[in-house]
Amino acid sequence: MPELPEVETVKRTLKERLPGLTICGVDIYLPKIIQTPSPEEFCRQVVDKKILDVGRRGKYLLISLSQGLMLVVHLRMTGQLVYTVTDEPRSKHTHLVFHLNNGHQLRFTDMRQFGRFWLVPERDLQAVSGLKDLGVEPLSREFTIEFLEKELKARRTRLKTLLLDQTFISGLGNIYVDEALHRAGLHPSRPANTLTPGEVEALFQAIRAVLEEGIASRGTSVRDYVDGTGQAGTFQEKLRVYGKSGRPCMRCGKTIERLRLGGRSAYFCPGCQK
């Protein structure tokens, strides 16, 4: 699933191209991806609206339209939202096409069909499933060492499980949690409330660092992810533990292992992470 750096990169690439354009038509090939309103009403409302801005909250894309409307997109596992020329061959997994007044298109493709769209008045944004419950943005001013220390002290949850909880910190997923825990030297199954102040600070710095590096690398393309122009990211070339079970740790040389926590995989080094 695209995580914060990937969604942020999609946001940035689309923000460079979409604002000022008008949606002049919509083709929906898979109606179930439209959560609200009905597909018919979605088409009626979105046509002739001007795109004003492109934003992000957690793993959600927020596309501001004229007349106070907000188009909310969640890419889920394999979703791609790509700005392209009209004569570009269309993938068989293309489920929605926005026709733009400059002759280009904004296409949504999704092999697994889990991605979803909402079209709501901006004042009702918090009614979108999942948005109102999102936790702090990890690259915001609200995310501080003091915040993290206070929250971890109150929780016995295992670190990997807790950091994946979108109501705690929004935008983190398997890739960047594994990478942050390795950099901080923390085992993924460690109870959150057992961290020392020094370990909390190390975790805070590691979370910020891997996210910023992920964004600078335009995301991690290990499967389906591409940015808003169809280009792959490069952070997969810098991964230290994610997806590397059986290989030596670049820090200590011990063999990287994989375990299951709450139904999710966790990659870690038994030598570095305690």
Side-chain angles (χ1 to χ4, degrees):
M1 178 185 291
E3 303 176 27
L4 188 153
E6 289 73 50
V7 181
E8 177 66 20
T9 302
V10 173
K11 182 208 85 173
R12 293 183 183 188
T13 51
L14 294 181
K15 188 179 176 72
E16 293 174 357
R17 294 161 175 83
L18 295 183
L21 298 179
T22 297
I23 299 169
C24 52
V26 185
D27 295 321
I28 300 175
Y29 303 106
L30 187 68
K32 74 176 184 178
I33 68 173
I34 308 299
Q35 289 292 97
T36 189
S38 68
E40 296 76 18
E41 185 65 14
F42 181 95
C43 291
R44 189 190 71 78
Q45 290 190 31
V46 83
V47 169
D48 294 330
K49 299 302 186 296
K50 179 181 284 189
I51 300 171
L52 304 179
D53 198 8
V54 183
R56 179 193 59 78
R57 177 75 171 99
K59 300 177 186 179
Y60 292 80
L61 285 167
L62 307 175
I63 303 177
S64 300
L65 305 178
S66 55
Q67 297 185 22
L69 290 176
M70 184 71 77
L71 179 62
V72 181
V73 186
H74 201 302
L75 302 174
R76 298 286 172 86
M77 295 292 292
T78 59
Q80 301 174 347
L81 192 63
V82 176
Y83 175 83
T84 183
V85 295
T86 300
D87 57 4
E88 178 72 22
R90 200 170 69 215
S91 162
K92 67 178 181 179
H93 300 297
T94 301
H95 305 314
L96 186 150
V97 176
F98 295 100
H99 300 273
L100 305 171
N101 68 328
N102 67 345
H104 284 57
Q105 296 177 344
L106 183 63
R107 298 179 184 175
F108 178 71
T109 64
D110 187 1
M111 185 176 64
R112 298 286 296 274
Q113 302 184 7
F114 293 151
R116 292 294 182 265
F117 285 72
W118 297 258
L119 182 66
V120 297
E122 189 168 358
R123 64 179 181 274
D124 296 335
L125 189 58
Q126 293 306 308
V128 173
S129 175
L131 264 181
K132 66 181 177 62
D133 298 320
L134 287 179
V136 65
E137 287 278 338
L139 295 179
S140 70
R141 293 180 179 179
E142 289 73 31
F143 183 62
T144 63
I145 295 174
E146 293 75 21
F147 163 84
L148 189 58
E149 185 171 20
K150 177 183 176 183
E151 293 297 320
L152 293 180
K153 276 184 179 179
R155 303 170 190 251
R156 299 180 180 179
T157 312
R158 292 173 174 179
L159 281 174
K160 168 96 188 220
T161 303
L162 178 59
L163 293 175
L164 289 177
D165 183 351
Q166 297 302 293
T167 67
F168 176 49
I169 300 174
S170 63
L172 293 176
N174 277 318
I175 296 173
Y176 297 95
V177 169
D178 283 354
E179 292 297 305
L181 289 174
H182 179 260
R183 292 193 187 199
L186 297 169
H187 196 284
S189 64
R190 178 93 171 264
N193 63 352
T194 64
L195 270 63
T196 66
E199 289 173 328
V200 173
E201 182 173 359
L203 178 59
F204 173 84
Q205 299 295 350
I207 290 171
R208 298 287 291 258
V210 296
L211 292 177
E212 289 168 354
E213 289 178 28
I215 293 170
S217 299
R218 302 178 65 80
T220 304
S221 293
V222 291
R223 296 184 184 88
D224 305 280
Y225 162 72
V226 293
D227 69 15
T229 61
Q231 302 301 307
T234 61
F235 193 65
Q236 65 274 11
E237 300 168 7
K238 302 176 183 179
L239 296 175
R240 301 183 184 186
V241 289
Y242 179 81
K244 296 184 179 294
S245 57
R247 302 183 192 180
C249 171
M250 61 183 297
R251 180 189 292 158
C252 74
K254 290 282 183 74
T255 302
I256 294 168
E257 298 181 6
R258 173 178 175 264
L259 59 80
R260 300 286 288 181
L261 284 175
R264 309 289 287 275
S265 292
Y267 297 92
F268 71 101
C269 171
C272 293
Q273 296 175 246
K274 305 299 182 181

